[in-house]
Amino acid sequence: MQLHKTNVAGPSTRASIVTAEAPPATTVNGGTPQPAAAPQATGSKFVWSKAWYPAVAEEHLDPTKPHQVTLMGRQLVLWRDSKGEWHAQNDACPHRLAALSDGFIDADNDQIVCSYQ
């Protein structure tokens, strides 16, 4: 799952928004990064999983702990590594299926750890 942080400014507000589920960026004209093409319809159906969706405003996230979010019916955990990059993954430990959002961030190894570990 890819995440992207966007700075948004309005008449009286300024915020950073973390968005998830984006198509990969493409490069054109000498390697300048460009956003990927808009989501394409398959036949007459729009492909919802191929678009960006706001997950949460960054100001609402504590970078020192994991956060549970629901995006399009999927339980996800958002967490930030020691380099300042946000990550999103399924909110379930692969070993015990416990919520990873109940765990903690191991800053020494840049990983999220289940509360049972």
Side-chain angles (χ1 to χ4, degrees):
M1 168 121 2
Q2 294 182 7
L3 287 181
H4 179 70
K5 184 171 85 172
T6 304
N7 293 320
V8 179
S12 63
T13 61
R14 185 173 176 171
S16 295
I17 305 224
V18 177
T19 56
E21 282 295 313
T26 58
T27 57
V28 293
N29 299 334
T32 305
Q34 300 292 320
Q40 299 296 314
T42 305
S44 62
K45 294 183 180 180
F46 181 79
V47 183
W48 291 96
S49 63
K50 300 290 182 189
W52 289 93
Y53 297 97
V56 66
E58 186 179 16
E59 289 76 22
H60 297 288
L61 298 174
D62 178 353
T64 64
K65 65 179 192 171
H67 298 274
Q68 182 184 58
V69 297
T70 302
L71 186 63
M72 296 184 65
R74 291 177 61 188
Q75 295 292 322
L76 302 173
V77 60
L78 300 177
W79 61 280
R80 193 170 85 167
D81 64 21
S82 64
K83 298 175 202 119
E85 295 183 22
W86 286 95
H87 299 270
Q89 61 193 80
N90 288 330
D91 191 18
C93 173
H95 302 111
R96 300 191 68 142
L97 298 180
L100 288 171
S101 57
D102 290 336
F104 61 94
I105 299 169
D106 178 359
D108 294 332
N109 296 310
D110 271 345
Q111 63 186 6
I112 190 167
V113 179
C114 172
S115 59
Y116 287 102
Q117 304 295 324

